[in-house]
Amino acid sequence: VLLHILNNVQGIRLLIIPAILIMGSKSGPTPTLPLEEWKHRPAYICAHPTTKTPEYEPGVSLPLGVPINFESDLFQGKAFLRLKPIPSDQGHDPYFEGTKRHYQFIIQGQFKEELPLCDVIIGDVYDKPFKGVPNGVIMKVYEKFMEMISPGMEMRMTSDTPSLFNALGSCQTMRVDRKGEEPDVSSGKLQEDTALLFGKEKFASASKRRTYLRKRKNSSKYKVNLDQVYTFEVYDHTMCFASYYQHVMGGMKIDMAVTMNGQPLCLAFFTRDHRVIAKFAVWNERLLEEMEKEQEQEAKM
């Protein structure tokens, strides 16, 4: 997963967003519960309408730290999310201890369609442009540069409807298991195991697997097996959902409540033709405050 980095290049701010952290009004409806009823205040986690959660009504606040059963048109399984530091997300200090991570997100389950691995991506499309991202030649060159050094990435930051996608192979941990032999996602300690995917072609580390699968010419050789269980883990040490600030180089912070232009960050997996595999929005009360400020300013115009 890429870092959010805020650079100053000749006075121009450049924003890089991890492909797993995506937002847009396409993320689903704004939370309707009063803030005092948010279970994990200041955060509010809910499923996108395309991601059904049978135990929970559409749009309701989802729990942290427990597996959540979900189903989309392309995938059926469970999701697991930890956030730091959220007061109501108790019992996960051992997981975060000794790491700089701010969250852990896992999906585990079975695909419903035999997709080539090269067609499974991490990311999303956006409804509105970002705030503070320049629309000019330098940014376009920067996008091309990032795509060149990060195989599998597709970056459209200067569009009125931006998009950012990264290869599935970039996830931190990947497992493929026979049904019934998959690990318990709530343990939080997943071990890489792709023997069923690659056979004799094994990798000495997850890092080497990521390097290999990021390249489309490699990932196009493999398809998902509908009878097997897939586990994908992503985590990040820059985005704090409790504060909605992005921690970047040099101790700087980006206020994502402002930058996101009224759109919540999402944890999402897609296909290259933009079909949803799994998608969960993570709202923050500061984001709603910024939206209210903007609406008040528009009303005065």
Side-chain angles (χ1 to χ4, degrees):
V1 178
L2 299 175
L3 303 179
H4 287 265
I5 302 176
L6 183 63
N7 294 320
N8 287 295
V9 180
Q10 297 180 347
I12 296 178
R13 299 198 312 167
L14 300 181
L15 178 68
I16 306 175
I17 301 177
I20 186 65
L21 293 176
I22 310 299
M23 68 284 169
S25 61
K26 294 177 180 177
S27 304
T30 304
T32 56
L33 282 178
L35 289 173
E36 56 270 18
E37 295 183 22
W38 285 22
K39 184 176 180 180
H40 301 298
R41 187 177 182 184
Y44 187 99
I45 303 94
C46 57
H48 184 268
T50 59
T51 303
K52 310 299 182 182
T53 51
E55 286 94 3
Y56 304 94
E57 294 293 328
V60 304
S61 176
L62 298 174
L64 294 171
V66 296
I68 300 166
N69 293 322
F70 77 90
E71 184 173 4
S72 67
D73 289 343
L74 295 173
F75 197 88
Q76 181 173 5
K78 59 188 71 174
F80 182 85
L81 176 62
R82 286 188 171 106
L83 300 180
K84 184 185 91 171
I86 298 291
S88 59
D89 188 13
Q90 301 295 330
H92 300 298
D93 289 345
Y95 171 79
F96 290 111
E97 187 176 356
T99 75
K100 297 181 179 180
R101 301 171 191 174
H102 285 291
Y103 73 86
Q104 178 193 37
F105 179 60
I106 301 170
I107 68 168
Q108 180 186 80
Q110 293 177 272
F111 285 90
K112 297 180 177 181
E113 183 177 319
E114 193 178 61
L115 300 167
L117 278 191
C118 62
D119 286 348
V120 181
I121 52 178
I122 301 170
D124 205 352
V125 294
Y126 307 74
D127 284 339
K128 297 188 292 184
F130 302 124
K131 289 185 178 181
V133 177
N135 187 356
V137 174
I138 292 180
M139 190 61 187
K140 291 184 183 297
V141 171
Y142 181 70
E143 290 174 342
K144 295 298 182 184
F145 170 73
M146 289 302 301
E147 291 177 347
M148 180 181 68
I149 65 173
S150 302
M153 176 186 287
E154 295 180 10
M155 197 179 210
R156 302 294 181 268
M157 302 290 285
T158 57
S159 170
D160 289 337
T161 54
S163 63
L164 178 62
F165 293 105
N166 208 349
L168 173 69
S170 66
C171 68
Q172 275 85 350
T173 309
M174 179 184 295
R175 286 188 63 96
V176 185
D177 293 280
R178 295 180 180 86
K179 189 173 182 179
E181 298 179 2
E182 66 273 14
D184 177 9
V185 295
S186 62
S187 69
K189 300 295 183 180
L190 297 178
Q191 299 296 321
E192 178 93 2
D193 189 345
T194 54
L196 288 180
L197 176 63
F198 296 115
K200 295 180 180 180
E201 189 176 13
K202 295 182 180 179
F203 296 92
S205 66
S207 176
K208 292 183 181 297
R209 181 267 304 161
R210 287 193 290 270
T211 300
Y212 178 78
L213 282 184
R214 279 194 182 110
K215 297 179 181 179
R216 192 164 186 174
K217 68 176 183 179
N218 296 331
S219 58
S220 62
K221 300 175 183 177
Y222 309 94
K223 290 185 177 181
V224 300
N225 186 317
L226 304 187
D227 296 324
Q228 295 172 345
V229 177
Y230 291 78
T231 306
F232 307 116
E233 176 190 30
V234 292
Y235 47 78
D236 180 45
H237 65 275
T238 64
M239 181 62 207
C240 177
F241 285 107
S243 66
Y244 236 57
Y245 276 96
Q246 184 73 35
H247 298 263
V248 294
M249 288 181 175
M252 294 189 300
K253 296 189 297 184
I254 305 170
D255 189 346
M256 303 303 281
V258 174
T259 304
M260 298 302 95
N261 198 11
Q263 306 171 108
L265 292 162
C266 280
L267 303 166
F269 288 77
F270 270 73
T271 62
R272 290 196 181 274
D273 58 359
H274 297 180
R275 291 182 292 162
V276 174
I277 293 171
K279 186 171 180 178
F280 297 86
V282 184
W283 294 82
N284 184 283
E285 64 178 279
R286 293 186 56 251
L287 179 61
L288 297 185
E289 291 170 1
E290 290 296 327
M291 293 168 64
E292 290 176 0
K293 290 178 184 178
E294 187 169 329
Q295 290 171 358
E296 291 174 358
Q297 292 175 355
E298 292 176 352
K300 294 177 182 179
M301 295 177 63

